[in-house]
Amino acid sequence: MRNTLLKKILYTVAAIFGVALLLVIYLAATFDPNDYKSTVIQLVKDKKQRTLDIKGDIKLSFWPKIGADLGEITLSEHQSDKQFAAIKGAKVALAVLPLLRKEIVVDTVYLDGVQANVIQHADGSFNFDDLLSKDEQESQQINFDVQGVKVTNTQVSYINEASGAKYTVDQFNLTTGQVALKTPFDLSADFHLVANQPVVDALAKIKANVMVDPEAKHFVVKGLDATIKGALLDGKDVNVTAQGAVDIDAAQTALNVSGLKLAMQGDFNGAKRDVSLQAPALAVNPKQISSEKVILALKQQDAQGDINMDIILAELKGNQQAVESKGITADVKVNAGARKVDGHFESPVKANLADMVFDVPALAGKFDIKDPALPNGAMQGQFKLSANADVKQEKVKTTFNLNLAETKLNGDVSVAGFKTPHIGFKVHADTLNLNALLGNNNAKKAESKTTAAKAGTNPGKPADLSALKTLFLDGSINIGKIIYSPYTLTGLNVGIKADGQKLALQGLDVKLDDSRIHGNVGISQFNKPLYTFDLNIDKLDLNRYLPQQTQTATAENKPAAKTAGTEEQPLDLSALKALNAQGNIRIGWLKYGKTEAKNLNIGLKAQDGLASLDPLNVDVYQGTVRGGVKVDARATPAIAIKQSLQNIAVGPLLVDTINNDMLSGTGNVNLDVTAQGNTVTALKKSLGGSVDLRMADGAVKGFDLAGTIRDAKGKLNLLKGQANTAADQTKKTDFSELTATFNIKNGVAHNDDLAMKAPIFRLPKGESKGDIDIGREQINYLAKPTLVNTLKGQGGKEAEQLSGVGVPVKVTGTFAAPKFGIDMAALGQALAKSAALDALTNQLGGDKAGAVKSLIGGENKADALKGLLNGKSKNSEKSAEGDAAKSDAGSNNEEAKPADNAKQKALKKLLNF
């Protein structure tokens, strides 16, 4: 009975299985998945708002394996026609019966020409989020077994829109053996990697045997052999290799490393670098920690020389609570031309890995430096350092002591927080002799210039100090003396603070040579740094800090020398474009060349190529200067100067500003000028504005007006031309008062209102005019001073004859070599006119003589004419008063006729001259 029932059951099952088999055969024979391509495409369009394009035929198999052979397929971005992913071909097949046991057995998987473009948006979302299932129920783990995976010609790109980072892996090929969980399998891959943050362009090859157990968090890599070549790590022609085995058991907190070898060679900014690390065996687990000797080696070769460093960590023994090494040692050799350095240091090392506390209690070292540039050609030094780091608490504490030649430096440093470190420090030294450490400063000036010239920074772009946003400092520096020939700093005390918003040097107090400096300096707005300062300097001699050539030229009040045949260098104000600064500097006493100044007060504001010095106040040239200066460096350099100079010694001022030594005396100067140009000459030629000059008790140097005229009286044979004489600095023409205004346009200063008063002459407004070409440093000026009666007694009768004579004086030449010329023809004419006038007045005699002389040569023509008609001259009233009292009112008419004849002859002679 039972056997019959069992047979019936078996027959029933066989029948059902047969029907199912027939159904599968029927479906395989009649079902064509390509008939449903349009339906699938529309379904993706409706559900995911993406465009699916199936270009090839889909081939399916149902028994004994469910398989699919796909053609070319593309998938668009969400709500876009832009391609998101594509595949040229794929082939996969699964065994049917293992699926019933929740096992996946797959034949070798073939993928070819896969392309995917992954984008992470600024809000953190990805361009494939809509494709992910929103069902967050945890699925059961399914065991799988893949006979192999073969991927060819695949490309995947990743773009981060927030940071701008771009990564691309292309030419990706992957071949594996049988892949299954908890079972080791072989893996081989090669690909091309390109990135921009950091910059990478390299080819990679990897071979290894891999075991993955995600449930137990156990991962093993054996037989690792990896190579990457190309541009990476800020270098070119870089070759990185890795060999060894790593076993990580996160659940057991265990790590085992064996035969690990890492190496890197490459060119880094012209330096050939070779780094290697060897760790033969390292075991870390809850019970014990052990390690064989670990060796790190560094070699570098560049234009500066060679560096070789070997660091060895001796065997480690202990457990996670206490592990100790016999010591870490290092040997350093540097061969940099004439300089050779040998150094050695060592220290025991302790650690508590459970609490993540590391201790280097006594790091001690010594070094020997040989360099002809050093004072004795060699130098030895020693240092000691202790450090304690608590990783969990994110704290580090160190103390240090350095003895090197005369330098004894000590202090301590503490760090709190690793992500945003808060660093505290104290540094103290009695003497810091940089000459002994670095060699004489004078020997390195040429090298410094070359280095600066090769600097790759853009001087017109502000430095990006945004890294300082994460820097928090609070410390102090105290150094008794810093020596760096030819400079000496003494008594340096400064506090340094940084809070992520500002870096400040507070309470700065130091003496540089003979100058005491104190104040504060700060930097803020790190993306586009703003420099702030408030400094006081008691005295400063700039001459000792200038190059010798500049210092000599300045001391001699000469402009910078130009090499013949060379073009004038354009003004370089690019540094001003990058400067954002605000602050004040006050200097009690300042010397530059032969010029000494007091009470200098400068207020600086600079931003985006615009700078102003306001105030720009100083006591100089025995007077005061008050005002400001503005500079615009955004395009063609432009300068605006507005200054008021009071009680200034004008002579030294002219020598220092325009290299002209024509005037001496004290005066007031108000100037309001602007200029624009790419060179100093262009600035001079574009100069515009106004200058107002008021002087008293001075002199025109290089020319004696009265003496020249007296000498000229005996040389009237030169009446047909001019006599030019070069300036003679031993001669001068004194004046008691001088006023003038200059209108400047295109570098030419025009004046037509010069007025002067002097013991020997008068120069009223309107009697002189001319131009001073500042751009070409040339003068073309005509003055017409009139000699006055005060000549009497200064040259006898001959000088008295010059009284009232107007003399045209022409000033020409250059600022450095002016020429003074007198129009001898005009002078002769004036002298002859004066002689004729004297003859006439001698013949006329009495009141009419004085009236005629005043009419022709005097200043008040109306009074002179009135005196002539009335028989009196206002000027001769007092002198003729006694003679008039004695005159006979009834004189003989016949006696007057010879006098009338003399008058007529004298007048004719005068008018015909």
Side-chain angles (χ1 to χ4, degrees), residues 641-752:
I641 303 174
K642 194 170 185 178
Q643 293 279 341
S644 175
L645 294 75
Q646 302 294 318
N647 301 317
I648 291 292
V650 176
L653 172 65
L654 293 178
V655 170
D656 290 347
T657 54
I658 63 173
N659 193 33
N660 180 275
D661 190 19
M662 287 181 58
L663 286 177
S664 66
T666 302
N668 300 333
V669 182
N670 291 304
L671 68 156
D672 188 354
V673 296
T674 61
Q676 188 173 26
N678 287 314
T679 63
V680 174
T681 300
L683 286 174
K684 290 181 178 180
K685 291 183 178 180
S686 69
L687 197 66
S690 62
V691 177
D692 183 271
L693 175 65
R694 299 285 186 271
M695 292 186 63
D697 299 326
V700 179
K701 300 169 70 174
F703 180 65
D704 181 2
L705 178 62
T708 301
I709 295 175
R710 285 194 293 266
D711 293 341
K713 190 174 183 295
K715 303 177 182 178
L716 293 181
N717 58 325
L718 299 176
L719 286 174
K720 295 181 180 181
Q722 284 188 348
N724 289 328
T725 59
D728 183 351
Q729 297 300 319
T730 63
K731 296 180 179 181
K732 63 179 181 177
T733 300
D734 295 326
F735 60 83
S736 60
E737 184 179 326
L738 181 151
T739 63
T741 59
F742 296 88
N743 292 318
I744 308 173
K745 186 176 181 180
N746 296 327
V748 178
H750 178 76
N751 170 264
D752 55 14

Side-chain angles (χ1 to χ4, degrees), residues 61 210 252 301 379 399 416 465 479 579 628 640 646 659 682 758 764 774 806:
S61 61
V210 180
Q252 299 297 323
Q301 294 180 339
M379 177 175 55
T399 60
L465 303 179
I479 301 177
L579 178 64
Q646 302 294 318
N659 193 33
I774 300 171

